[in-house]
Amino acid sequence: MHTILGAGGPTANALTRELIKTNETTRLVSRKPISTDQPNLSWVKADLLNEAELFAAAEGSKVIYLCAGLVYDAQIWQQQWPIIIQNVINLTKRTGARLIFFDNVYMYGLVNGPMTEDTPYQPCSLKGKVRAKVAQQLMDESKAGHINVTIARAADFYGTDSMNSFLDMMVLDKFAKKDKAQWIGDANTLHSFTYIEDAGKALFLLGQTPDSGNQVWHLPTAAPITGKAFIEMAAKVYATKPQYLTINKLMLRLVGLFKKVVAGTVEMYYQYDHDYHFDSTKFEKAFNFKPTTYYDGILNLSKTLYKKQN
């Protein structure tokens, strides 16, 4: 039994597709209903903040994937992540299942050079401090022999089915409509982006590989690219002009006065005006996995959009 906690989000959906392909018995756990019209696929309602509901929903699990995404607000993260993580730790101890936690890179803070699995935690944001504490708590439990946990980290992702990515929303969707794109920060700096389908495949592989436990993995991600180069590449695929507007920190602050989600991006602005180099060499070598190129990723998305429109 493979159980996905926080099902319904972009990463969880990509993972679900991989599990369906191999007919793995999969249980989706979320607060909102999810269609389960595939064999060996079921949905159970549960709130990850409620330990009793969580225990009931994940009974019989062999591999548990925590792919939950919370409202993009530092205060909510400070309040809810500690509860969720403790509940999931208790669940893992109760079931004896392997835990795979889908994580981000906020705990690293501003890094001068490539981010690797050995990069120290030096968060420079409130959300980063929350993620650092969560990751440390999980690995402490692992080192003590209490649980078997894998932390799987990805860079900013693209290719979602919910516009839950600034690349999808502000660049690719804009170009698909022949509109002018938008870019946060300095378009001349380097930035890494994880193709969501690669993330799903990688999580699946980790779930199938018991020896991958009790360590951190960076999920397969193509080499960093400048924002300008990505925009030009995307414009070529969508057959439009590579025009874009740059959104600076002040603009984010102003928009954030009216949109709380945007306000939550302000403290993360350092990721957009400095080089952001995510290194996934460890995973690529261990699993002989070649990340999808940005061009191929964009091309795949354009073809998917064409099919939907026709």
Side-chain angles (χ1 to χ4, degrees):
M1 173 71 73
H2 292 255
T3 299
I4 303 177
L5 306 180
T11 309
N13 288 345
L15 170 60
T16 301
R17 287 191 286 273
E18 294 301 316
L19 291 167
I20 288 174
K21 289 178 185 177
T22 54
N23 294 317
E24 294 282 3
T25 301
T26 304
R27 181 180 297 158
L28 308 179
V29 178
S30 66
R31 289 181 296 180
K32 296 180 179 179
I34 298 175
S35 174
T36 55
D37 55 354
Q38 297 287 336
N40 300 322
L41 186 66
S42 62
W43 168 74
V44 178
K45 181 179 180 180
D47 186 339
L48 302 187
L49 294 167
N50 186 313
E51 187 180 66
E53 288 185 7
L54 184 59
F55 281 9
E59 185 177 358
S61 300
K62 297 301 180 183
V63 183
I64 296 171
Y65 307 83
L66 178 55
C67 299
L70 302 185
V71 175
Y72 205 64
D73 181 282
Q75 289 186 335
I76 291 176
W77 282 31
Q78 289 172 322
Q79 295 165 2
Q80 297 187 4
W81 268 119
I83 298 172
I84 290 174
I85 287 299
Q86 190 58 60
N87 284 349
V88 172
I89 287 173
N90 293 342
L91 170 66
T92 305
K93 292 177 179 178
R94 178 186 178 95
T95 60
R98 291 180 56 217
L99 172 63
I100 298 177
F101 174 47
F102 180 71
D103 201 5
N104 60 32
V105 300
Y106 292 4
M107 72 293 301
Y108 296 142
L110 178 58
V111 180
N112 182 20
M115 289 176 271
T116 71
E117 290 85 350
D118 296 322
T119 297
Y121 297 169
Q122 296 179 328
C124 54
S125 65
L126 291 175
K127 286 189 280 293
K129 291 178 180 177
V130 172
R131 302 301 290 223
K133 186 176 181 180
V134 163
Q136 192 59 57
Q137 185 177 358
L138 287 172
M139 294 314 296
D140 285 347
E141 292 283 353
S142 170
K143 290 175 182 177
H146 297 156
I147 62 174
N148 183 326
V149 60
T150 300
I151 295 180
R153 294 195 174 117
D156 289 339
F157 48 76
Y158 74 103
T160 69
D161 46 15
S162 63
M163 289 293 130
N164 194 19
S165 150
F166 99 83
L167 268 194
D168 293 333
M169 179 173 58
M170 301 170 68
V171 179
L172 302 181
D173 186 57
K174 294 288 187 181
F175 281 166
K177 298 174 180 176
K178 309 304 180 185
D179 292 337
K180 185 179 293 187
Q182 298 173 318
W183 193 267
I184 299 176
D186 185 352
N188 292 306
T189 59
L190 292 168
H191 204 105
S192 299
F193 299 97
T194 304
Y195 184 47
I196 200 70
E197 295 302 319
D198 284 352
K201 291 175 182 176
L203 288 171
F204 171 79
L205 287 172
L206 290 172
Q208 299 291 317
T209 312
D211 290 345
S212 68
N214 299 314
Q215 56 187 302
V216 176
W217 293 89
H218 280 187
L219 302 186
T221 300
I225 186 173
T226 65
K228 186 177 180 181
F230 188 94
I231 287 169
E232 290 174 348
M233 188 183 298
K236 183 178 180 180
V237 171
Y238 283 95
T240 189
K241 295 180 180 179
Q243 297 179 321
Y244 67 97
L245 297 173
T246 298
I247 300 175
N248 59 33
K249 194 171 186 178
L250 176 59
M251 295 169 68
L252 283 177
R253 288 187 186 279
L254 292 175
V255 176
L257 295 175
F258 307 97
K259 294 185 178 181
K260 204 164 186 178
V261 173
V262 176
T265 305
V266 175
E267 70 165 347
M268 310 309 301
Y269 189 78
Y270 70 89
Q271 294 186 317
Y272 307 107
D273 65 350
H274 292 81
D275 285 343
Y276 173 119
H277 183 177
F278 182 85
D279 185 286
S280 59
T281 302
K282 174 184 174 181
F283 190 99
E284 292 172 45
K285 288 183 176 180
F287 291 91
N288 191 27
F289 193 112
K290 186 176 181 180
T292 301
T293 65
Y294 294 118
Y295 182 83
D296 286 344
I298 298 169
L299 188 61
N300 290 342
L301 295 171
S302 69
K303 290 178 179 178
T304 300
L305 177 64
Y306 179 80
K307 289 179 181 179
K308 289 181 178 179
Q309 293 177 338
N310 294 274

